[in-house]
Amino acid sequence: MFKESFVLYGIRRRFNFLHKRRVATHDLQSMHEGLLEESSLERIYIILIVGSCVIATFGLLSNSAAVIIGAMIVAPLMLPIRGMAFGALEGNFRLFRTGLISIIAGTLLAITISWLIGMSVGLAEFGGEIVSRSRPTLLDLGIAVAAGGVSGFAKVEPKISPTLAGTAISVALMPPICVIGLGLSQANWSLSFGATILYFTNLLGITLSCMLIFLATGYTPLYRAKKALTWTIALTVVLLVPLGISFFQLTRQARLEVSLQRALLNRTITFQRLVFINSNVNWLSNPPVVRLNVRSRDPVTPRQVELLEEFLAREMGQRFTLIFEVGQIEEVRREGVNGSSFDE
């Protein structure tokens, strides 16, 4: 009994520092003023939102990771998130409202711009950079929490460049917002819904991580932060359900892709005379579409494709649509499916 009480006392003593504010009054006031200025919906913020959204949208449409990274550096969304997080912890309604308004305005503006660009360009099919942002998993939540920690620590530690934190946060937020608009431009509700889940996952993960940094560094005491912290944790926990399901599907799909390649390469006569290069599976289609890049002296016939699809359906218990890219990127599908063939 005595030992248990001693342990509990030690734990309470260790975490007692969280119940006290450990920064000077002028530092706290400076933090409030700085976050309020950063979170305001001003001309510079709007210009950066427009510029980063245009860059990110065109980068997504062109499937260019380098261009998307450029948009991440420009995006200013991390600024009002920090203000909103600190305002919620401190019960500062003015700071919280200012940050929230800037986040909502920036988000709606970016969705509108990406929707207009998507309507103007009118691509028939989106690339991997867009599709990958419609399937959030627990891994994305981990990235968001880490990025939020960097941002919060950069605010309380002046020696860290704010550009570093801005890049970390922008990585998580602007591309999913643009994917929402692009999905709406094609009435692709599943794409927009997946990107929306990713956006809220990143937003909550970043906010929660910033709150914990402000709490741990003594800028706000635990008794003031309890309510806001509890609500943020609760909302994040709610998202764990769809994220966990997506993570399970991701691992299952990875195993299926490996099994699919092994079945085709090791157990079919067709692939004995083909040189396999790589494959890509679009799991958003029903049934999933498998693109196989191969090299061969002889053409692959539609009948062979049909037999391979039937073989996979028997072996794996799931139907796939196979598309072969043979030689000069010539697409061959089984008979009865509309398709096109072209040579580079």
Side-chain angles (χ1 to χ4, degrees):
M1 185 71 177
F2 174 77
K3 184 177 181 180
E4 182 180 355
S5 301
F6 183 77
V7 172
L8 292 175
Y9 171 77
I11 294 175
R12 285 197 298 268
R13 187 176 180 183
R14 276 180 185 274
F15 291 96
N16 189 49
F17 72 95
L18 293 176
H19 293 271
K20 298 179 181 179
R21 199 188 300 275
R22 304 188 309 281
V23 296
T25 303
H26 68 275
D27 290 334
L28 181 64
Q29 183 64 28
S30 176
M31 171 72 80
H32 274 281
E33 293 175 355
L35 288 173
L36 185 62
E37 182 180 358
E38 291 178 355
S39 304
S40 300
L41 187 61
E42 296 181 343
R43 179 175 58 91
I44 296 177
Y45 174 80
I46 295 175
I47 291 174
L48 290 177
I49 286 288
V50 173
S52 62
C53 176
V54 171
I55 296 171
T57 304
F58 282 122
L60 289 165
L61 290 171
S62 62
N63 209 39
S64 172
V67 177
I68 297 172
I69 291 173
M72 295 170 181
I73 298 174
V74 178
L77 285 166
M78 64 95 169
L79 302 176
I81 293 177
R82 291 192 305 202
M84 183 183 69
F86 194 70
L89 288 178
E90 284 286 286
N92 187 325
F93 181 72
R94 182 188 177 192
L95 179 57
F96 176 81
R97 181 187 60 186
T98 301
L100 182 62
I101 290 174
S102 295
I103 293 170
I104 293 174
T107 300
L108 293 178
L109 179 60
I111 291 175
T112 303
I113 293 173
S114 58
W115 174 75
L116 291 173
I117 294 175
M119 292 288 288
S120 302
V121 175
L123 285 184
E125 185 177 347
F126 290 137
E129 291 289 344
I130 294 177
V131 174
S132 65
R133 287 174 171 84
S134 65
R135 295 179 289 179
T137 68
L138 293 172
L139 301 177
D140 296 293
L141 180 60
I143 294 171
V145 170
V150 172
S151 176
F153 190 68
K155 186 60 182 176
V156 301
E157 179 52 66
K159 294 181 180 180
I160 299 180
S161 171
T163 304
L164 174 65
T167 303
I169 301 301
S170 302
V171 164
L173 285 172
M174 184 53 76
I177 295 174
C178 297
V179 173
I180 295 173
L182 291 173
L184 293 176
S185 70
Q186 290 194 356
N188 190 333
W189 311 120
S190 62
L191 185 70
S192 293
F193 179 75
T196 301
I197 295 296
L198 176 59
Y199 170 68
F200 280 113
T201 296
N202 292 332
L203 182 62
L204 286 171
I206 292 166
T207 303
L208 176 61
S209 190
C210 282
M211 286 180 171
L212 293 175
I213 290 295
F214 292 142
L215 179 65
T217 53
Y219 273 86
T220 187
L222 183 59
Y223 73 89
R224 294 182 67 95
K226 273 185 179 180
K227 187 174 182 179
L229 201 57
T230 301
W231 274 103
T232 306
I233 292 174
L235 292 173
T236 305
V237 169
V238 170
L239 284 175
L240 291 178
V241 176
L243 294 177
I245 294 173
S246 296
F247 183 74
F248 173 77
Q249 291 177 342
L250 179 66
T251 55
R252 176 178 175 272
Q253 289 168 2
R255 289 195 297 267
L256 278 175
E257 288 187 29
V258 173
S259 300
L260 185 147
Q261 286 189 16
R262 288 177 178 172
L264 289 175
L265 292 176
N266 302 327
R267 303 184 61 186
T268 62
I269 298 176
T270 301
F271 270 80
Q272 300 304 314
R273 59 182 182 82
L274 299 177
V275 178
F276 176 77
I277 306 299
N278 56 52
S279 65
N280 180 48
V281 183
N282 180 6
W283 293 99
L284 296 180
S285 301
N286 188 23
V289 176
V290 183
R291 288 184 174 270
L292 297 157
N293 188 355
V294 299
R295 295 291 180 266
S296 175
R297 294 180 181 179
D298 302 318
V300 177
T301 66
R303 177 58 179 166
Q304 288 175 313
V305 176
E306 184 176 0
L307 291 173
L308 288 172
E309 288 180 351
E310 294 174 355
F311 166 76
L312 290 175
R314 291 193 307 269
E315 290 293 313
M316 307 188 68
Q318 178 176 347
R319 297 201 64 85
F320 292 89
T321 298
L322 300 182
I323 300 176
F324 279 79
E325 297 179 348
V326 186
Q328 296 299 313
I329 319 301
E330 180 183 8
E331 296 185 0
V332 182
R333 302 171 185 248
R334 63 183 173 86
E335 293 178 347
V337 178
N338 292 328
S340 60
S341 299
F342 60 92
D343 293 332
E344 288 185 340

